[in-house]
Amino acid sequence: MSHNPTDTFEIKKAATSKIDSVDFENLPFGSIFTDHMMYCDYKDGQWGTPVIEPYAPIPMDPSSRVFHYGQAIFEGMKAYKDEQDEIWLFRPDQNFIRFNKSATRLAMPEVPEPVFMEGLKQLINIDKDWVKKGKGNSLYLRPFMIATGHGVIASPSAQYRFMIIMSPAKSYYQGEVKVLIAEHYSRAANGGIGAAKAAGNYSAQFYPTRLANEQGYQQVIWTDDATHTKLEEAGTMNVFFKINDTLYTAPTSERILDGVTRKSILELAKRDNIKLEVRSVLVAELLEAAKDGSLKEIFGAGTAAVINPIIGFAYQDNYYELPKQENPIALEIKDKLTNIQHKLAEDTFGWTVKI
Amino acid sequence: MSHNPTDTFEIKKAATSKIDSVDFENLPFGSIFTDHMMYCDYKDGQWGTPVIEPYAPIPMDPSSRVFHYGQAIFEGMKAYKDEQDEIWLFRPDQNFIRFNKSATRLAMPEVPEPVFMEGLKQLINIDKDWVKKGKGNSLYLRPFMIATGHGVIASPSAQYRFMIIMSPAKSYYQGEVKVLIAEHYSRAANGGIGAAKAAGNYSAQFYPTRLANEQGYQQVIWTDDATHTKLEEAGTMNVFFKINDTLYTAPTSERILDGVTRKSILELAKRDNIKLEVRSVLVAELLEAAKDGSLKEIFGAGTAAVINPIIGFAYQDNYYELPKQENPIALEIKDKLTNIQHKLAEDTFGWTVKI
Ligand SMILES: Cc1ncc(COP(=O)(O)O)c(C=O)c1O
Ligand SMILES: Cc1ncc(COP(=O)(O)O)c(C=O)c1O
């Protein structure tokens, strides 16, 4: 990078804001976008000038590689406004690093740090009224990159567009979540792209998840594709199991996304002496623990919902309901994390970054 | 489908053709498109009116699901012009069936037969001057479908666009192809989407293929992701091995695309008494056969190249060059297939369909 993109952002502001037409009390997740978007194009081996413009459709050639070969990656992160009207990000460095890991795995160029970080900051600043105060409120940030090069030939594109769009969010309550443990379908292969936040990983799960939905389960917990004996993760969340007094979560691998929420829970557990072991939990173990009563909790962990308690699971046509807990660890952890994110508790980790 | 889309195609012709600017002797594969494109939108549970329009960029909302979750599938097929100026398709029913299988696996709606078939026919008719006579010449057809619904929420889109674009092609000679046998990376999981022509399957291969290219190998032959002991297929081709006097090719499975070329070779072999067995070839077997001289040929089979002879393969840092054959079966099969496709030999199978 010869130029410094922070000097060169090209900014075209929207003539009017649509913010007054938005009902911030009733926000369907990820459906309403702020007034502006940010993008930066890669061409001839170089990133161009980052642009901020009014949110609008973009023209795409029908032969764009993203449509045919799925070269597309993304991140999911949130901005929070504290009581003093300051806006904070949560561990954006982790999302930036993961984004470029995903890029490498998909044979896409790395995005320069200033394009990613300044892009976020400048875009959030322009649309800062869209970040609402109060616990549970946030602005969901979606950096992504798509292959824009033309041509239906199955090889990496020479042109890309990095973009950021943003959507205001309320705290994400999904109701009572029951999950289905995968016996046949899988989300990732050994040596595949499961550890990347690649678009193709998600559409691969839609059909099996729809089958689970039809049986009354909101999500699938994926197992390793070779043996279907090891519990891995959910569609957009890492998964934790509490057996007796210990939390377990699978190690990250080529098949499992290295979640920022998961990672933060590991550090929180260490600080607060919560018993936690990183190791694969076997389906057989889970069934055993469900039967003998040692299985106390299951929860998912991810940016959108932060923590998503699971009330029961199904496996081979049997449904196992979890016992109700007096003081579930899931909620304790959720509180600790969201308090740090909203600047309601001291951030002893240095996770929060001011915009 | 209440209406019959063949009655209702909406056609807007281009004012001028760009055909005169195209050098038909030097056509880079998949890079030049004809004057028109066809599309049909799915919304509110219904397919709308199919449209044929001048080829042009399409406006896409930045939150379109295809960009974020990779809901995108495609087909690859060809049209051929015979000496009497008639235009023929090769087994289009197979592509149509496979397209809708891919759609189902990706939780996308099936495309009605008349939209797919009449779309092809009407579009080819309008751009029929782009199909050139002569063996080796063809018009590459690319039907595809993308999720156009808005919103960054990881669930199936409610809106889709089916499209067809077309690109004139010369016979596809790749030079001498050396392949690398995958030891670590994989293209498909058990219970995954490997058998679908889904966009995400291709980008997953780009990085490992680039690594192979850097070592001097043009393509990767994928192995099963669980053990890496079974030979599966190449990036866009099924693979055949000739050991002694018998051809072997892997059975199709959830991990392997059911190729139309592969399928046609099986039928051709039966008709012409070519010894052929459908079974997985193990990497260990291949090495053994390469060492004792019983390995005679390896070739890929797919629509783009029809048959792609492979001159050698690498495994664990050893390179194995194949012996030169006097009358390779690869070329014999290629000739038989292309003669049927170009109407130079009798089509005893009823594979060719007139436009
Ligand atoms: C497959 C998958 N697993 C886990 C997660 C959780 O990651 P994070 O905590 O960084 O949001 C996500 C993120 O959305 C995901 O897509
Ligand atoms: C992964 C893969 N395998 C095999 C093939 C060959 O299939 P077909 O002969 O139908 O072109 C293709 C098609 O392009 C493919 O993408």
Side-chain angles (χ1 to χ4, degrees), chain A residues 256-328:
Chain A
I256 299 185
L257 195 84
D258 185 7
V260 180
T261 315
R262 173 187 177 281
K263 182 177 293 188
S264 304
I265 293 172
L266 301 194
E267 297 182 44
L268 210 62
K270 192 176 274 177
R271 185 192 71 181
D272 293 353
N273 296 312
I274 297 167
K275 276 203 200 167
L276 192 154
E277 266 183 54
V278 174
R279 72 158 174 83
S280 287
V281 174
L282 300 177
V283 176
E285 251 182 289
L286 186 75
L287 295 177
E288 203 51 47
K291 285 175 193 156
D292 72 19
S294 57
L295 178 65
K296 307 298 182 194
E297 293 179 49
I298 308 179
F299 60 87
T303 296
V306 188
I307 299 291
N308 205 332
I310 288 162
I311 65 156
F313 69 91
Y315 181 69
Q316 288 183 340
D317 298 325
N318 291 315
Y319 176 68
Y320 303 83
E321 181 101 15
L322 300 196
K324 286 243 174 344
Q325 302 295 316
E326 285 278 306
N327 296 303

Side-chain angles (χ1 to χ4, degrees), chain A residues 28-33 55 58 66-67 70-74 142 144-146 165 167 172 197-204 206 210 236, chain B residues 42 59-73 106-109 145-161 199-200:
Chain A
F29 188 83
S31 306
I32 289 161
F33 295 91
Y55 186 97
I58 53 174
V66 61
F67 294 150
Q71 256 189 312
I73 59 169
F74 68 97
R142 172 57 61 98
F144 65 105
M145 174 161 48
I146 53 177
I165 56 177
S167 175
Y172 193 77
K197 240 174 132 63
N201 286 332
Y202 296 84
S203 49
F206 289 171
R210 181 178 279 172
T236 58
Chain B
Y42 179 89
M60 294 286 294
D61 192 273
S63 77
S64 297
R65 305 252 170 147
V66 60
F67 295 150
H68 301 271
Y69 307 118
Q71 254 189 314
I73 58 169
L106 275 284
M108 301 168 92
M145 176 163 45
I146 54 177
T148 49
H150 303 181
V152 293
I153 177 153
S155 61
S157 178
Q159 290 171 32
Y160 297 89
R161 173 165 284 197

Side-chain angles (χ1 to χ4, degrees), chain A residues 38-39 97 114 132 135 154 175 189 218 234-235 237 241 269 287 301 316 318 341:
Chain A
M38 180 265 175
Y39 66 85
I97 292 168
K132 297 295 181 192
K135 207 167 159 179
Q218 286 73 42
M237 300 189 296
F241 304 92
L287 295 177
Q316 288 183 340
N318 291 315
Q341 290 167 337

Side-chain angles (χ1 to χ4, degrees), chain A residues 96-116:
Chain A
F96 170 66
I97 292 168
R98 189 170 67 187
F99 191 77
N100 277 341
K101 276 192 190 157
S102 299
T104 299
R105 183 61 183 83
L106 274 284
M108 301 169 91
E110 291 193 0
V111 172
E113 211 221 340
V115 171
F116 190 98

Side-chain angles (χ1 to χ4, degrees), chain A residues 69 154, chain B residues 74-77 90 94-95 98 140 142 187 194-198 201-202 205 222 233-239 255-264 300-306:
Chain A
Y69 306 118
Chain B
F74 68 96
E75 271 303 324
M77 43 205 302
F90 184 72
Q94 297 297 317
N95 296 95
R98 189 169 68 186
Y140 182 77
R142 172 56 63 96
R187 77 173 281 285
K197 241 174 128 66
N201 286 332
Y202 297 85
Q205 302 177 63
W222 300 104
E233 64 170 324
T236 57
M237 300 189 296
N238 296 106
V239 183
R255 294 189 309 263
I256 298 186
L257 195 83
D258 186 4
V260 180
T261 316
R262 173 187 176 282
K263 181 178 292 186
S264 305
T303 295
V306 189

Side-chain angles (χ1 to χ4, degrees), chain B residues 20-31:
Chain B
D20 289 336
S21 68
V22 175
D23 175 1
F24 280 84
E25 291 310 308
N26 292 292
L27 290 168
F29 189 84
S31 306

